[in-house]
Amino acid sequence: MPTCSLRYRSHRPDDAKVRGRLKELAQERPRFGYRRLGVLLYREGHAVNLKRVLRLYREEGLKLRAKKRKRIASAQRVRPEATTAINQV
């Protein structure tokens, strides 16, 4: 390798322990998202940033499906009165 060219080497620590524990917690609590799982990891002593938890969560395919919201009409619907003249509306 020429001495005039340098390539970046990642200094990221190994995430195997955190990744394994994240999968276990997601199996135990399937309705928990990455934030709540991140809090559980933090309580267990894993010093993990939430952004890292989100990255691992997505890489493992644990994405929680969003619930569809029920649409509710905000007010009673009233039919407009019939027009009786030109340009009345």
Side-chain angles (χ1 to χ4, degrees), residues 5-80:
S5 66
L6 293 174
R7 297 200 187 274
Y8 175 76
R9 274 192 246 150
S10 176
H11 301 289
R12 183 183 288 170
D14 187 30
D15 293 327
K17 289 181 184 177
V18 177
R19 189 182 297 261
R21 187 62 187 138
L22 182 65
K23 283 172 104 175
E24 290 173 11
L25 288 172
Q27 288 290 326
E28 292 172 17
R29 298 174 172 87
R31 293 302 305 166
F32 278 20
Y34 79 95
R35 289 175 190 260
R36 288 175 79 181
L37 292 174
V39 170
L40 293 177
L41 286 171
Y42 184 78
R43 286 181 186 167
E44 290 180 358
H46 298 283
V48 183
N49 188 344
L50 269 184
K51 289 184 274 186
R52 178 178 286 173
V53 173
L54 175 60
R55 178 178 57 81
L56 296 173
Y57 189 79
R58 285 181 177 164
E59 285 177 1
E60 293 300 320
L62 302 173
K63 186 177 176 185
L64 189 62
R65 296 174 100 187
K67 290 184 180 179
K68 275 195 169 182
R69 292 188 176 248
K70 197 173 192 179
R71 293 183 69 186
I72 300 171
S74 60
Q76 282 286 358
R77 299 191 184 229
V78 180
R79 287 190 139 207

